[in-house]
C-alpha cells in the first residue's frame, strides 16, 4: 500500500481524498467522523480522529456560528457576535451538519479540545452542549435511561460554572433530569450549584420545573436550591452591600407561590404550607411587606372552597399579619374567605402601629435592644388576648368591625424591622426594609448549608 511498493496505491489515494475532499469541508468532516463510530480503534491508530478534531476546531474558530447561536438569558445584553467577512468560510444560507449528531464518545473529547484551544468563544461551545442535551436527553423519549444518564453526566462536565452563560430554564431541566435518571452525586451537585448561582435570574415558571407533582422530595429540592443560593452568594460576596439579589429571590418565591396556588388545583394543603414557610423565611428581613404571601393565600382559599375552618387556619399560618401594608390590611379585613381569627389579628395591627409610633416619639427613638424584644413578645401576647376576647363576642358580620376600624387613625407601618441577613441599607426597592444602624454596628453574616 506504500509508495515504495508501487505508485498510485491505496494509501496515497486515501490521503489525497482526505486532504482534497473531506478535511476542507465541514459537512464531509462531520459525516466522516460520524461514520467511524464502529471503527474508532482503527481511526485512532491512524490518528485520523485527532486530524478530524483539529479540522473542525479550526473551522469553528473562523465561524463560531457553526456550533449554533448562543442561548441568551433574559437579562443578558451582550452584543451579537459577527465574524469577519474576510475570514468567513461558509455562506450564511448554507445548512451545515450539526455536531450534535455525533456519538458521545466523539462529541465529548471534541468539546473538551475546543474549550482548551481558547480559539472559540465559550458562548458558542455552551450553545452546542445545550443543543446536544436537548436532542439526546430532553427531547428523546425512546432512549434508554442508561444512555441518557451518560449524556447528562458528560454535559455537566462540559458546562462552565460561570454565572449567566446558561439559561435558567435549561439548568432547571437538567437538574430535574439528573435526579430522575439517578445520575452521580457529582453531576447532581454540579447542576444544583449552577442553578443556585443564578437563582435571582429565574422566573416562577423556571422554578415550577422542580416541583411538578409537589411531592415531599420536590419541596425539599426547592429548599435545598434556595439554601444553596444564600450560602454561595454570601461566601463569594462577603464584602458586598448590594441586597438587590436577595430582594429578587424573595419576590421570585412569592410569585412562584401565587403561581402554584392559582394554576394547580392538585396542590395539597401540606405542600402549600411547606412552600409558604420557605417563602416567609426568605422574605423575613428582606421584604418590608408580605402582601405577596397574602395574595397567594387568598387565591389558594378561593380555588379550594371545600376547606374546613381549621384547614383555612393551617393555610393562613404562613401569613404574618403584622407585615401587611396599609392597602393589604384594608383588603384582608374585607376578605370573607379568611378565618375570623385572622381578620381580627389584621384589624388589631393598626392599633399596634399607633402605640409603637407614640412610644418612639416619647422615648426619642433611644430604645434598648432588650426593651425591643420585650415589646415584640408583649405585642404578640396582647394580640392573642384581643383575638380571644373578640372571638368570644357574638360577632355576626365583619362589616361592623370593619366600620369601626375605618374610623381609626391611619399611620405608616413599622419603620424598623429586625434583619435576618445583616444590616441592609443600600436597596432602592420600595419593598426592601430599612435598618437603623444605631442598633447594630457590626455586620452580620449568614451561613447556610447545602444538603
Amino acid at each position: 500500500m506504500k509508495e515504495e511498493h508501487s505508485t498510485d496505491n491505496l494509501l496515497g489515494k486515501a490521503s489525497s481524498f482526505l486532504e482534497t475532499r473531506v478535511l476542507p469541508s465541514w459537512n464531509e468532516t462531520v459525516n466522516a467522523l460520524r461514520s467511524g463510530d464502529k471503527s474508532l480503534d482503527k481511526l485512532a491508530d491512524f490518528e485520523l480522529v485527532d486530524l478530524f478534531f483539529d479540522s473542525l476546531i479550526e473551522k469553528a474558530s473562523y465561524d463560531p456560528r457553526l456550533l449554533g447561536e448562543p442561548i441568551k438569558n433574559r437579562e443578558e445584553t451582550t452584543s451579537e457576535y459577527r465574524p469577519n467577512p474576510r475570514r468567513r468560510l461558509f455562506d450564511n444560507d448554507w445548512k451545515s451538519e450539526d455536531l450534535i449528531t455525533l456519538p458521545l464518545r466523539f462529541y465529548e473529547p471534541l468539546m473538551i479540545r475546543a474549550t482548551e484551544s481558547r480559539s472559540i468563544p465559550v458562548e458558542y461551545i455552551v450553545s452546542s452542549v445545550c443543543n446536544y442535551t436537548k436532542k439526546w436527553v430532553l427531547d428523546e423519549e425512546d432512549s434508554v435511561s442508561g444512555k441518557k444518564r451518560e449524556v447528562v453526566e458528560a454535559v455537566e462536565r462540559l458546562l462552565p460554572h460561570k454565572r449567566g452563560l446558561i439559561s435558567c430554564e435549561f439548568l432547571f431541566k437538567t437538574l430535574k433530569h439528573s435526579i430522575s435518571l439517578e445520575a452521580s452525586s457529582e453531576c447532581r451537585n454540579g447542576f444544583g450549584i449552577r442553578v443556585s448561582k443564578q437563582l435571582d435570574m429565574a422566573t416562577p415558571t423556571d422554578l415550577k420545573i422542580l416541583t411538578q407533582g409537589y411531592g415531599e422530595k420536590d419541596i425539599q429540592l426547592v429548599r435545598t436550591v434556595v439554601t444553596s443560593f444564600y450560602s454561595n452568594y454570601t461566601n463569594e460576596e462577603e464584602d458586598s452591600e448590594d441586597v438587590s439579589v436577595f430582594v429578587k429571590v424573595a419576590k421570585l418565591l412569592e410569585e412562584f407561590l401565587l403561581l402554584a396556588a392559582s394554576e394547580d388545583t392538585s396542590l395539597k394543603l401540606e405542600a402549600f404550607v411547606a412552600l409558604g414557610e420557605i417563602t416567609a423565611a426568605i422574605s423575613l428581613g428582606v421584604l418590608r411587606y408580605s402582601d405577596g404571601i397574602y395574595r397567594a393565600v387568598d387565591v389558594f382559599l378561593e380555588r379550594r372552597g371545600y376547606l374546613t375552618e381549621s384547614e383555612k387556619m393551617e393555610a393562613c399560618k404562613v401569613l404574618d399579619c403584622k407585615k401587611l401594608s396599609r392597602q393589604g390590611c384594608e383588603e384582608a379585613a374585607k376578605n370573607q374567605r379568611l378565618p375570623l381569627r385572622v381578620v381580627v389579628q389584621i384589624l388589631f395591627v393598626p392599633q399596634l402601629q399607633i402605640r409603637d409610633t407614640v412610644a418612639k416619639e416619647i422615648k426619642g427613638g433611644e430604645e434598648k435592644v432588650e426593651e425591643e424584644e420585650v415589646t415584640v413578645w408583649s405585642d404578640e401576647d396582647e394580640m392573642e388576648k384581643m383575638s380571644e376576647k373578640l372571638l368570644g363576642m357574638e360577632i355576626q358580620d365583619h362589616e361592623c368591625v370593619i366600620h369601626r376600624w375605618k374610623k381609626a387613625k391611619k399611620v405608616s407601618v413599622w419603620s424598623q424591622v429586625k434583619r435576618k441577613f445583616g444590616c441592609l441599607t443600600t436597596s432602592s426597592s420600595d419593598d426592601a426594609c430599612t435598618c437603623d444602624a444605631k442598633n447594630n454596628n457590626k455586620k452580620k453574616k449568614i451561613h447556610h448549608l447545602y444538603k
Side-chain angles (χ1 to χ4, degrees):
M1 294 180 60
K2 297 182 179 181
E3 293 293 332
E4 292 80 2
H5 185 270
S6 64
T7 60
D8 198 21
N9 59 64
L10 182 59
L11 182 59
K13 291 182 178 179
S15 300
S16 177
F17 178 78
L18 288 175
E19 293 175 357
T20 58
R21 295 291 301 276
V22 178
L23 296 180
S25 170
W26 172 274
N27 277 3
E28 294 298 334
T29 306
V30 173
N31 289 332
L33 193 58
R34 184 170 56 241
S35 62
D37 183 26
K38 298 181 180 180
S39 56
L40 176 61
D41 296 335
K42 295 182 180 179
L43 290 176
D45 292 339
F46 290 100
E47 299 181 352
L48 291 178
V49 175
D50 294 337
L51 193 62
F52 291 153
F53 285 177
D54 293 339
S55 175
L56 292 173
I57 293 173
E58 182 182 2
K59 292 176 176 60
S61 64
Y62 280 95
D63 191 355
R65 293 179 300 174
L66 290 169
L67 301 181
E69 293 295 335
I71 303 175
K72 296 182 180 181
N73 272 309
R74 285 167 290 273
E75 298 181 359
E76 190 175 358
T77 58
T78 56
S79 59
E80 182 181 358
Y81 175 84
R82 296 182 181 276
N84 190 336
R86 294 183 178 180
R87 301 177 64 186
R88 190 174 301 165
L89 298 180
F90 303 99
D91 191 347
N92 291 334
D93 298 330
W94 180 68
K95 180 66 175 178
S96 61
E97 289 290 335
D98 205 330
L99 294 182
I100 65 174
T101 59
L102 294 176
L104 180 61
R105 57 178 179 172
F106 283 146
Y107 183 81
E108 183 178 5
L110 174 60
M111 289 295 103
I112 293 176
R113 183 172 297 191
T115 303
E116 294 175 348
S117 69
R118 300 183 181 273
S119 60
I120 304 174
V122 66
E123 293 83 0
Y124 292 88
I125 296 178
V126 169
S127 174
S128 179
V129 174
C130 292
N131 291 331
Y132 193 87
T133 309
K134 291 178 181 179
K135 175 176 176 59
W136 297 101
V137 178
L138 303 182
D139 298 338
E140 183 66 33
E141 298 180 356
D142 301 330
S143 180
V144 181
S145 60
K147 183 178 180 180
K148 285 186 175 182
R149 181 168 57 250
E150 293 179 1
V151 174
V152 168
E153 293 176 351
V155 166
E156 193 280 325
R157 293 190 294 267
L158 293 173
L159 288 176
H161 283 269
K162 186 178 179 181
R163 165 186 161 93
L165 281 178
I166 313 168
S167 68
C168 293
E169 180 183 4
F170 175 82
L171 287 177
F172 278 96
K173 287 182 178 180
T174 49
L175 174 59
K176 190 69 173 179
H177 276 78
S178 66
I179 296 174
S180 62
L181 294 172
E182 299 180 353
S184 63
S185 59
E186 293 81 4
C187 176
R188 298 195 303 269
N189 293 335
F191 282 122
I193 293 174
R194 290 178 177 87
V195 166
S196 62
K197 279 186 176 181
Q198 56 187 63
L199 184 60
D200 58 301
M201 303 170 64
T203 65
T205 305
D206 297 332
L207 201 57
K208 191 177 180 181
I209 297 174
L210 301 181
T211 57
Q212 295 179 0
Y214 299 101
E216 183 177 352
K217 293 183 178 180
D218 300 327
I219 305 300
Q220 180 59 36
L221 180 58
V222 174
R223 184 181 291 107
T224 302
V225 168
V226 173
T227 304
S228 179
F229 165 77
Y230 282 95
S231 177
N232 291 329
Y233 187 87
T234 52
N235 289 338
E236 296 177 1
E237 306 290 341
E238 289 185 355
D239 298 331
S240 176
E241 296 181 355
D242 182 18
V243 297
S244 60
V245 291
F246 296 110
V247 174
K248 288 181 180 180
V249 172
K251 290 184 177 181
L252 167 66
L253 290 174
E254 286 189 346
E255 294 173 0
F256 168 67
L257 185 64
L258 177 61
L259 177 66
S262 60
E263 287 190 353
D264 199 336
T265 56
S266 62
L267 178 63
K268 296 182 180 180
L269 175 62
E270 294 79 7
F272 176 79
V273 172
L275 291 174
E277 290 175 347
I278 297 174
T279 305
I282 297 305
S283 302
L284 182 63
V286 178
L287 296 183
R288 187 174 184 180
Y289 302 121
S290 61
D291 291 9
I293 298 179
Y294 162 70
R295 287 191 291 269
V297 171
D298 182 36
V299 171
F300 183 80
L301 297 179
E302 181 182 8
R303 294 179 65 90
R304 295 159 182 82
Y306 54 84
L307 295 177
T308 63
E309 193 72 10
S310 60
E311 291 174 335
K312 291 181 179 180
M313 283 297 302
E314 182 71 13
C316 291
K317 77 177 187 179
V318 301
L319 178 62
D320 187 356
C321 300
K322 298 188 294 296
K323 288 188 63 178
L324 287 176
S325 65
R326 177 180 300 181
Q327 181 180 0
C329 286
E330 293 177 357
E331 295 179 1
K334 303 175 185 179
N335 195 335
Q336 298 288 338
R337 289 183 289 272
L338 295 178
L340 182 58
R341 180 183 294 272
V342 176
V343 175
V344 171
Q345 292 178 353
I346 293 173
L347 294 177
F348 191 58
V349 168
Q351 305 301 325
L352 294 178
Q353 296 173 353
I354 294 174
R355 190 190 66 180
D356 291 342
T357 303
V358 173
K360 289 179 181 179
E361 292 178 355
I362 294 175
K363 296 182 180 181
E366 297 180 355
E367 298 177 344
K368 296 182 179 180
V369 176
E370 292 80 7
E371 294 175 352
E372 290 179 350
E373 293 179 353
V374 173
T375 302
V376 172
W377 285 108
S378 62
D379 289 347
E380 295 177 354
D381 296 340
E382 189 169 349
M383 181 179 288
E384 185 65 25
K385 291 179 182 179
M386 180 62 72
S387 300
E388 294 177 357
K389 289 181 181 179
L390 292 178
L391 286 174
M393 300 178 182
E394 295 181 357
I395 300 177
Q396 297 179 355
D397 194 352
H398 295 180
E399 295 182 357
C400 60
V401 183
I402 297 170
H403 180 70
R404 291 196 299 270
W405 176 71
K406 283 184 177 180
K407 294 182 179 180
K409 182 180 179 181
K410 304 291 191 308
V411 296
S412 61
V413 297
W414 297 332
S415 61
Q416 195 172 23
V417 180
K418 287 190 174 182
R419 314 300 296 172
K420 180 180 180 182
F421 301 106
C423 219
L424 311 176
T425 61
T426 60
S427 174
S428 60
S429 172
D430 294 338
D431 288 336
C433 296
T434 59
C435 181
D436 190 358
K438 296 180 180 180
N439 294 334
N440 191 357
N441 294 327
K442 296 182 179 180
K443 183 178 179 181
K444 299 181 181 178
K445 295 183 180 180
I446 60 171
H447 301 278
H448 296 273
L449 299 178
Y450 179 75
K451 300 180 180 178

